Amino acid sequence: MKSIEITKITSEKNLLKFKIALKDKVNKGFKIEEINDKLPFAILSKRGKKVNHNFNLLLSFITLGIWSLAWVYLCCVSSKEKRILIAIDEDGNTFEDKCYN
């Protein structure tokens, strides 16, 4: 009887950690796309940043092209939508992983 109570308390603690991780990501701008309470896991997404190309072109001219490296980074990395998976593994630890389309 005692081992069942310990397991139940541990799973409640893990579920609480999972919910805290979800809340933290939602506060950082992610939106929950799908959630499953039985397994538990959640898929979250965040829209990419909009790049102001006119401003970056002006900065590239002013810096003689040096800014173009940062501009390419903004276009390739920051402007893409981010999707992540948050779940609890078999050991009861909360983890986060990237979702690939």
Side-chain angles (χ1 to χ4, degrees):
M1 212 45 154
K2 196 172 186 179
S3 65
I4 294 172
E5 292 175 13
I6 293 171
T7 307
K8 188 174 182 180
I9 291 171
T10 305
S11 65
E12 288 175 8
K13 287 182 181 179
N14 294 337
L15 192 58
L16 181 62
K17 289 178 187 178
F18 172 72
K19 289 182 179 184
I20 289 171
L22 278 180
K23 186 177 180 182
D24 181 47
K25 290 298 180 181
V26 169
N27 288 339
K28 290 182 179 179
F30 283 88
K31 291 184 181 180
I32 297 174
E33 286 188 8
E34 183 180 340
I35 190 164
N36 186 332
D37 292 330
K38 291 182 181 179
L39 290 177
F41 75 90
I43 297 175
L44 296 94
S45 68
K46 184 177 183 181
R47 296 188 79 185
K49 296 178 183 179
K50 188 174 180 182
V51 178
N52 185 344
H53 294 289
N54 293 332
F55 178 70
N56 285 296
L57 180 63
L58 178 66
L59 283 177
S60 292
F61 284 143
I62 291 171
T63 61
L64 303 173
I66 295 173
W67 183 256
S68 63
L69 297 173
W71 187 9
V72 169
Y73 175 79
L74 288 172
C75 291
C76 294
V77 177
S78 297
S79 64
K80 289 185 179 180
E81 180 182 19
K82 294 177 178 77
R83 293 183 65 172
I84 59 170
L85 167 81
I86 297 179
I88 297 177
D89 63 8
E90 46 288 326
D91 296 329
N93 300 319
T94 302
F95 71 94
E96 177 182 325
D97 197 12
K98 293 181 182 179
C99 289
Y100 299 103
N101 293 340

